[in-house]
Amino acid sequence: RSRWRGLTRLPISDENDSNGTCGGTLMAKHKVTLVDGMEGDAPLPAAEEREELAAIDAELVILGCRTEEELIEQARDADAILTWGAPVTRRVLECLSDCQCVVRYGVGYDTVDIEGATATNTIVINVPDFCWEEVANHAVALLLCCAKKIVQLDDLVRQDRWREAKAVQAPMGAVYGQTLGIVGCGNIGRTLARKAAVFGLDVIGYDPYLDASVAAAAGIRPVSLEALLKTSDYISIHTS
């Protein structure tokens, strides 16, 4: 399943491999806590997580923690933590003595104290293929909004300023046949390139680490950063 099949354990400590705490099945019945899984007063559905965890006889608890203090107080008995971006600090990990692993939804894991996890023998897991498609879709949406002045025209129409809306339409930027420059051609950048081709965009890219064969497979023509800045009609930056 999309959120779970891409889980990759970070190389924190080899000691975790010997105790069987998170590499296979959890001993029944363990508590897995999504510590920042509330939208207002309502918990996220987390249907996929519940289904996967039920298969290994583990229960899912959803909390709305945002601070160290809330994590320590509310997730103290968690055997594993799922998080979107809660501060999993060394202090938190030291207080959550039952916690065996932390799963971060997303590629980055800067909200998790890796040194603290190492010191407490806690496995940290990220999701390296998280949201490639949707981030690329969002970039396409922003490009179209920019080219077609969607936000500006919408604002004028909502104010009944029809004449002004008509006046600002020209010049209306084209998309088909234009050049999209992608700075940073990693997973998201390459996904964007494939989507951009559907709109008839010529895609060029700058990434000093991009292999020529990988670029070709994604439909990206590698160029220097200077050339990209000079020739692109639109630029999308995907670096960290």
Side-chain angles (χ1 to χ4, degrees):
R1 296 180 181 273
S2 58
R3 290 182 186 166
W4 297 87
R5 64 167 177 253
L7 295 180
T8 299
R9 194 184 73 186
L10 300 177
I12 296 173
S13 173
D14 290 332
E15 295 178 13
N16 293 292
D17 291 337
S18 61
N19 58 28
T21 56
C22 199
T25 59
L26 294 173
M27 297 296 291
K29 187 172 205 176
H30 277 50
K31 179 179 288 187
V32 177
T33 303
L34 175 52
V35 294
D36 48 358
M38 301 291 288
E39 289 187 336
D41 295 328
L44 294 170
E48 192 172 303
E49 288 85 343
R50 292 186 190 280
E51 181 180 348
E52 294 289 336
L53 291 170
I56 56 173
D57 197 26
E59 65 174 322
L60 177 67
V61 175
I62 299 180
L63 303 174
C65 304
R66 293 288 184 268
T67 66
E68 279 186 322
E69 288 71 22
E70 290 174 341
L71 277 165
I72 293 169
E73 179 182 354
Q74 300 179 40
R76 186 177 295 274
D77 59 348
D79 295 298
I81 284 177
L82 311 180
T83 177
W84 294 95
V88 185
T89 63
R90 180 169 186 151
R91 176 174 168 236
V92 168
L93 293 168
E94 288 175 343
C95 290
L96 272 56
S97 57
D98 292 336
C99 185
Q100 300 165 10
C101 69
V102 176
V103 178
R104 160 77 172 94
Y105 288 117
V107 179
Y109 45 91
D110 54 303
T111 58
V112 181
D113 187 330
I114 300 302
E115 292 184 359
T118 300
T120 56
N121 289 324
T122 306
I123 296 174
V124 178
I125 301 167
N126 69 335
V127 186
D129 61 351
F130 187 79
C131 269
W132 292 354
E133 295 290 343
E134 291 310 314
V135 174
N137 286 342
H138 195 78
V140 171
L142 293 175
L143 187 156
L144 295 175
C145 281
C146 178
K148 302 304 177 183
K149 304 181 181 179
I150 300 297
V151 175
Q152 185 180 7
L153 290 171
D154 177 73
D155 184 55
L156 291 171
V157 169
R158 288 175 183 272
Q159 298 178 55
D160 293 331
R161 295 161 63 184
W162 300 95
R163 291 183 182 274
E164 292 175 65
K166 186 68 174 178
V168 301
Q169 286 184 33
M172 181 68 74
V175 174
Y176 181 83
Q178 302 301 292
T179 299
L180 169 63
I182 300 176
V183 179
C185 302
N187 293 317
I188 294 172
R190 297 197 302 274
T191 301
L192 172 60
R194 289 189 285 268
K195 294 177 186 293
V198 177
F199 290 89
L201 283 156
D202 177 41
V203 182
I204 59 177
Y206 169 74
D207 189 324
Y209 305 104
L210 182 64
D211 182 86
S213 63
V214 175
I220 299 172
R221 178 164 53 88
V223 297
S224 67
L225 181 59
E226 182 179 5
L228 183 145
L229 297 175
K230 285 182 177 180
T231 61
S232 297
D233 298 293
Y234 304 99
I235 296 174
S236 191
I237 301 174
H238 299 276
T239 61
S240 59

